[in-house]
Amino acid sequence: MIPAKFDYHAPSTVDEALRLLSEAEDAKVLAGGQSLIPVLRLRLAAPEVIVDLGRIEELRGVREDGDALAVGAMTPHADMIADPLVREHAALVAEAAETIADPQVRHRGTFGGALVHADPAGDMPTTAVALGAEFLIAGTRGTRTVAAEDFFEDLFTTAVGEDELLTQVRIPKHTGWGSHYEKFVRVAQQWSIVAVAAALRIDGDSIAEARVALTNMGSTPVRATAVEQRLIGIAPVADAVREAVVDVAEGTHPPSDLNGDADYRRHLATVLTGRAVLAAAAG
Amino acid sequence: MTQINVTVDGISYSDEVEPRTLLVHYLREWLGKTGTVVGCDTSNCGACTVHLDGRSVKSCTMLAVQADGHQVTTIEGLAENGQLHPMQQAFHETHALQCGFCTPGMIMQAIDLLKDNPDPSDDEVRLGLEGNLCRCTGYQNIVKAVQTAAKAGGAT
Ligand SMILES: Cc1cc2nc3c(=O)[nH]c(=O)nc-3n(C[C@H](O)[C@H](O)[C@H](O)COP(=O)(O)OP(=O)(O)OC[C@H]3O[C@@H](n4cnc5c(N)ncnc54)[C@H](O)[C@@H]3O)c2cc1C
Ligand code: FES
Ligand code: FES
């Protein structure tokens, strides 16, 4: 199907985009379009105005900023995967981005778009939560910074208001950490049924710091802080890790759907967390 | 209506389009380039794959206005002087199609795949074509075609 009619603007600065958003009654931001255009085509949404961020150069690219990486919201998934800074300081994000959709979607879809879209089965929100990212949100009254645990509010809902833009994501450097994104799917090009993000700092023979977060085990990404604590100080060997992660699904509220019921997802989360932690320790 | 300037298969076009026009419809209905086809409504099948500035994209999941100022290559722009592109030739020789509906998108994505990885394993070919669905061939001969083109070289 063809989308319903809309007015189209392609501003070249963030300020201009914000002005357009504040003036319009019913406007929608277009990033890579890999979630929004299918929604427009199916006429699940019919905004009157589209503000396309594609011409705003300042929103694209990755740079170092002290102990963090500053990632422009419009950086495409394919660029995140190939970026040497991301590989070195936030490898978890690159690894998870490799599992998104297919090459064509990864050429257009953006890191910021995937975060604001906030699909509970989306892979980028979990990595942002695992690594404790900060989100820069711009509005006509200025820019504010929101922590990862406050950014994802509910299914498809974030702290970004209707007339605001996500401009940048600051990912604290996890240089030298091992990481792994363990995604469970049944067919090609599928969204996560459940996935687990793990990042570890190994010191000598044992785990010194751990970050673990779960995809599609609730309406927003779940950070498994109790499991993170239990992993600290143990050797990353199969029996010890399995014992440390056995309760990872406790207190989660996963969905039940055709891909699996909630209990099945809880079982998956436990198995996948063990695998993710062991793989992260190995590399 | 919005004015766009797009280069498609080496020729520059300047047109007024409605912003809601999908790139694939612009290619097919304005320019008559019906080699690029639409196979789904959900951005899954990849039949509509073209190259935008040399990288593969799904032309059903882009607005024509987003292509303003950019270069698009479709399946119709691959052959040169009546000679099939090496990837087209390989699909032809290894019987990598039955009904042929998925073929334009398969070929465009296969070329993109070899740009990243000129010597892929069979598994890497399958993964690289993850976003292209074929309901006829069972994929075996498509993998064979991509490997044939990779070995022959010059297919990017
Ligand atoms: C076939 C297919 C399979 C997919 N599989 C996966 C998968 O396995 N895992 C996964 O994680 N994703 C998957 N995706 C989604 C993909 O990651 C999208 O790129 C992503 O969800 C949206 O990013 P986008 O840049 O395309 O945003 P758009 O589609 O342009 O926008 C998405 C939403 O975010 C808003 N928005 C975007 N950017 C901003 C911003 N900077 N500020 C404020 N609001 C903004 C838009 O208004 C819109 O509501 C898939 C998509 C397709 C088509
Ligand atoms: S027509 Fe199916 S992905 Fe474009
Ligand atoms: S040959 Fe018929 S869909 Fe691929």
Side-chain angles (χ1 to χ4, degrees):
Chain A
M1 253 176 11
I2 298 171
K5 274 192 189 190
F6 52 77
D7 289 335
Y8 174 80
H9 301 279
S12 52
T13 65
V14 168
D15 286 346
E16 207 185 327
L18 290 172
R19 187 180 52 76
L20 287 161
L21 286 175
S22 68
E23 285 168 3
E25 270 297 299
D26 176 26
K28 201 89 186 122
V29 168
L30 176 65
Q34 302 304 293
S35 293
L36 184 57
I37 293 179
V39 163
L40 297 178
R41 284 178 77 189
L42 296 170
R43 303 226 180 168
L44 298 172
E48 278 169 24
V49 175
I50 292 276
V51 178
D52 180 359
L53 306 183
R55 316 252 160 208
I56 308 182
E57 276 309 313
E58 60 187 296
L59 288 180
R60 217 173 275 263
V62 180
R63 58 182 174 78
E64 278 184 281
D65 186 6
D67 53 9
L69 292 183
V71 181
M74 286 295 289
T75 309
H77 300 311
D79 291 12
M80 294 296 284
I81 293 167
D83 194 287
L85 289 172
V86 177
R87 287 274 167 202
E88 188 179 349
H89 303 295
L92 178 65
V93 179
E95 262 190 67
E98 282 177 343
T99 73
I100 294 175
D102 53 58
Q104 294 99 310
V105 170
R106 295 195 294 266
H107 286 144
R108 297 287 304 163
T110 66
F111 187 52
L115 295 168
V116 180
H117 190 58
D119 192 310
D123 301 303
M124 292 301 98
T126 312
T127 65
V129 166
L131 298 184
E134 287 182 337
F135 296 76
L136 269 59
I137 301 174
T140 44
R141 290 169 308 280
T143 298
R144 60 200 175 98
T145 303
V146 174
E149 57 267 31
D150 301 322
F151 184 80
F152 300 101
E153 295 181 343
D154 203 348
L155 300 175
F156 303 104
T157 310
T158 69
V160 181
E162 298 264 292
D163 53 357
E164 292 184 310
L165 288 178
L166 174 66
T167 53
Q168 193 188 92
V169 184
R170 291 174 53 84
I171 309 174
K173 285 183 186 168
H174 285 69
T175 322
W177 288 49
S179 60
H180 187 75
Y181 191 71
E182 183 75 20
K183 173 165 170 172
F184 188 84
V185 291
R186 288 186 300 110
V187 297
Q189 195 205 43
Q190 195 181 11
W191 293 77
S192 290
I193 295 174
V194 173
V196 179
L200 304 176
R201 188 169 67 78
I202 308 278
D203 192 6
D205 298 332
S206 61
I207 298 171
E209 287 181 88
R211 295 304 192 103
V212 177
L214 316 177
T215 303
N216 214 10
M217 287 297 289
S219 54
T220 60
V222 176
R223 174 119 174 252
T225 40
V227 164
E228 290 175 358
Q229 289 305 319
R230 240 172 277 140
L231 286 167
I232 291 173
I234 70 166
V237 293
D239 287 349
V241 166
R242 283 202 201 104
E243 199 183 310
V245 307
V246 71
D247 293 334
V248 72
E250 203 158 280
T252 59
H253 302 282
S256 286
D257 58 29
L258 285 176
N259 284 312
D261 60 22
D263 279 345
Y264 175 63
R265 281 193 162 85
R266 287 195 192 95
H267 171 72
L268 271 181
T270 313
V271 174
L272 300 177
T273 304
R275 286 185 197 164
V277 168
L278 289 168
Chain B
M1 298 294 251
T2 304
Q3 171 84 26
I4 58 167
N5 300 295
V6 195
T7 304
V8 182
D9 296 337
I11 298 172
S12 316
Y13 297 89
S14 191
D15 279 302
E16 295 257 313
V17 295
E18 265 194 273
R20 63 173 168 160
T21 309
L22 300 174
L23 177 60
V24 69
H25 291 135
Y26 174 69
L27 295 172
R28 291 174 58 83
E29 288 161 26
W30 267 256
L31 308 186
K33 291 194 173 276
T34 49
T36 303
V37 294
V38 181
C40 74
D41 252 338
T42 50
S43 305
N44 287 107
C45 77
C48 63
T49 301
V50 300
H51 293 176
L52 182 80
D53 300 330
R55 295 323 307 254
S56 60
V57 299
K58 293 179 176 175
S59 63
C60 73
T61 314
M62 247 189 97
L63 304 170
V65 288
Q66 291 179 288
D68 181 30
H70 294 278
Q71 306 236 1
V72 176
T73 307
T74 77
I75 188 76
E76 298 187 33
L78 292 182
E80 277 178 24
N81 307 319
Q83 283 279 312
L84 289 182
H85 182 280
M87 190 64 79
Q88 290 174 306
Q89 191 66 36
F91 268 66
H92 175 67
E93 280 168 11
T94 61
H95 305 284
L97 57 138
Q98 288 177 26
C99 80
F101 200 83
C102 70
T103 313
M106 282 289 177
I107 289 177
M108 297 313 285
Q109 181 51 31
I111 293 170
D112 186 87
L113 160 65
L114 292 190
K115 269 187 196 159
D116 278 340
N117 184 355
D119 185 22
S121 65
D122 283 3
D123 280 352
E124 287 168 341
V125 172
R126 288 174 189 278
L127 205 58
L129 297 176
E130 187 174 13
N132 294 72
L133 306 181
C134 174
R135 32 178 227 182
C136 306
T137 64
Y139 302 97
Q140 290 303 82
N141 285 1
I142 292 176
V143 176
K144 210 186 279 174
V146 179
Q147 294 294 22
T148 303
K151 294 208 173 63
T156 53

